[in-house]
Amino acid sequence: MELHLTSEQTLLRDSAAKFIAAAGPKVARGLRGQDPSFAPARLRQAGELGWLGILVPSSMNGLDLGLTELALVLEQVGRGLVCEPIGLAAISAAALGLGRTPHPMLPQVMMGAALVVPALEESAYGDDLLTPRTQVVGKDGALRLSGQKTFVCADGFLVSASGRDGAALCYVTRNAPGCLLSTTPTAEGRKLATLSLADAPGDLIAPRSSSSNAVDMLYNLALVALSSELLGAMERAQEITLEYLRIRKQFGKLIGSFQALQHQAVDIYIRIEAARSLLYQAAANNDAYRIDPAMAAAVKAKLSEEAMVVTKACIQLHGAIGFTDEHDIGLYLKRAMLLSSLFGNAAAQRRRYAASAGLTA
């Protein structure tokens, strides 16, 4: 699929490229082990640019754009190893804007003054995120949630829980009674947390009439958002590698002239272009609030698998120096490891795709 951008989309992509110019591997290294593992001022800048409200309707002061525009921004985020969770914040803002009346937190999230992220995962073992074990019940005229969520760290959370009428999405603030956060480092050195809920109060996020339910909508959006960042990480890893092949000499020749390495470089290019085509085809043919679950699963499965293959191949093409922590290429593999695992890795998404397409026995 050849991507034809409008002038507005081109401007959006170029503005995102300028934004990430101030990020990159050096900044990502500096945020290792920090709490929070991102720069709040940079998140506010993203809010000022309107990106955190990119999917929010204009009636709620959002940009009212679509998945293609979201993917263009997040592709650049992935290229720059940006540590601010712009994608997760943007899709959370979209969820907070569901229904006729937006959630009171929406303005703060759109400005970057507060960070709200999805809290959908409950373990690292590929559980079905759409049938959560976390429970929500009505008690004394309010909603109360009990359970555990993993891979989160924010001021507030959009928690998926099972209730009387099926899966429900609830907003829970970080400082709510019954909330406990315990942090753990990731493969790339940033910190994420496990959220434990014990009869914690929450606000129900009402589903939009055009979507099956709010949990489905948020989950499918998350898959597209993470896939977009994975594409950007692959692209930049490829560029770094090609630059290295053009300057590194072995046996008196540039290693880029060796046919075996050229074949590997071509394979990397094909994998990236195939992944790009699938991502933007899905973005162009799906409304943000009505994403085909099979397509979302296919996109995440493809991008997760290819990102791991590509970044590993890039390290191999660098030789021994690619395995050192001092070289930037390893940071892209670590980012791919993190993003590909979130909300279900390639194997989990293939299972979901098979189930959605009716291919399971």
Side-chain angles (χ1 to χ4, degrees):
M1 173 186 173
E2 188 173 356
L3 185 62
H4 297 284
L5 301 180
T6 66
S7 58
E8 290 82 4
Q9 289 171 336
T10 301
L11 286 172
L12 180 65
R13 182 196 61 191
D14 292 346
S15 67
K18 291 179 181 178
F19 178 83
I20 67 133
K26 183 177 181 180
V27 175
R29 291 179 193 277
L31 290 168
R32 286 174 170 177
Q34 300 297 310
D35 190 12
S37 296
F38 66 93
R42 294 271 293 170
L43 186 66
R44 290 193 293 272
Q45 289 177 18
E48 292 169 2
L49 290 167
W51 298 343
L52 304 185
I54 197 167
L55 300 176
V56 177
S58 55
S59 60
M60 300 176 188
N61 298 319
L63 294 185
D64 201 13
L65 298 176
L67 289 176
T68 298
E69 290 78 11
L70 176 69
L72 288 170
V73 170
L74 296 183
E75 183 182 347
Q76 298 301 317
V77 167
R79 288 175 61 88
L81 291 178
V82 173
C83 294
E84 291 70 42
I86 293 172
L88 296 181
I91 64 172
S92 296
L96 291 170
L98 287 173
R100 296 179 180 177
T101 304
H103 192 276
M105 281 296 297
L106 178 59
Q108 295 185 59
V109 173
M110 288 173 58
M111 292 186 297
L115 176 61
V116 174
V117 299
L120 307 180
E121 295 191 82
E122 297 183 331
S123 78
Y125 303 108
D127 292 350
D128 185 356
L129 274 65
L130 301 179
T131 55
R133 288 174 291 177
T134 298
Q135 298 294 313
V136 57
V137 297
K139 184 181 295 185
D140 299 327
L143 296 179
R144 299 286 177 173
L145 295 94
S146 297
Q148 191 174 81
K149 298 292 183 177
T150 58
F151 308 127
V152 296
C153 195
D155 302 309
F157 310 97
L158 293 178
V159 179
S160 59
S162 295
R164 183 180 59 185
D165 300 320
L169 190 67
C170 300
Y171 171 76
V172 178
T173 183
R174 177 175 183 156
N175 298 322
C179 285
L180 178 64
L181 283 173
S182 55
T183 60
T184 183
T186 65
E188 63 171 358
R190 288 194 291 165
K191 291 183 178 180
L192 291 178
T194 296
L195 172 66
S196 298
L197 302 167
D199 211 25
D203 303 328
L204 180 66
I205 304 297
R208 178 170 288 206
S209 58
S210 60
S211 60
S212 53
N213 67 60
V215 175
D216 281 354
M217 186 277 295
L218 185 60
Y219 181 40
N220 292 328
L221 270 178
L223 299 185
V224 173
L226 293 173
S227 298
S228 303
E229 289 196 44
L230 283 166
L231 175 61
M234 280 193 287
E235 290 174 339
R236 184 55 188 149
Q238 178 199 35
E239 292 173 0
I240 293 173
T241 303
L242 292 180
E243 291 169 3
Y244 184 74
L245 295 180
R246 294 187 185 105
I247 62 171
R248 177 72 166 94
K249 285 187 176 182
Q250 189 70 29
F251 309 113
K253 293 183 178 181
L254 293 173
I255 62 175
S257 66
F258 300 157
Q259 192 175 54
L261 301 190
Q262 290 175 353
H263 288 173
Q264 265 193 289
V266 170
D267 182 62
I268 289 172
Y269 174 80
I270 292 172
R271 288 179 180 276
I272 292 175
E273 291 306 309
R276 183 202 314 281
S277 179
L278 180 60
L279 171 64
Y280 281 103
Q281 183 180 13
N285 291 284
N286 283 274
D287 179 89
Y289 296 96
R290 293 194 303 272
I291 301 176
D292 179 3
M295 182 60 78
V299 168
K300 182 59 163 58
K302 177 71 171 177
L303 271 293
S304 294
E305 182 171 10
E306 300 296 19
M308 293 300 298
V309 171
V310 166
T311 51
K312 287 179 180 179
C314 288
I315 288 179
Q316 184 181 22
L317 287 171
H318 276 78
I321 194 173
F323 289 85
T324 64
D325 185 62
E326 289 79 6
H327 200 285
D328 293 342
I329 193 65
L331 298 178
Y332 290 89
L333 171 60
K334 292 174 182 178
R335 178 62 60 91
M337 290 172 63
L338 174 62
L339 297 178
S340 63
S341 66
L342 292 178
F343 301 105
N345 61 13
Q349 296 306 329
R350 283 194 289 268
R351 291 193 296 269
R352 185 181 182 228
Y353 177 83
S356 300
L359 301 177
T360 55

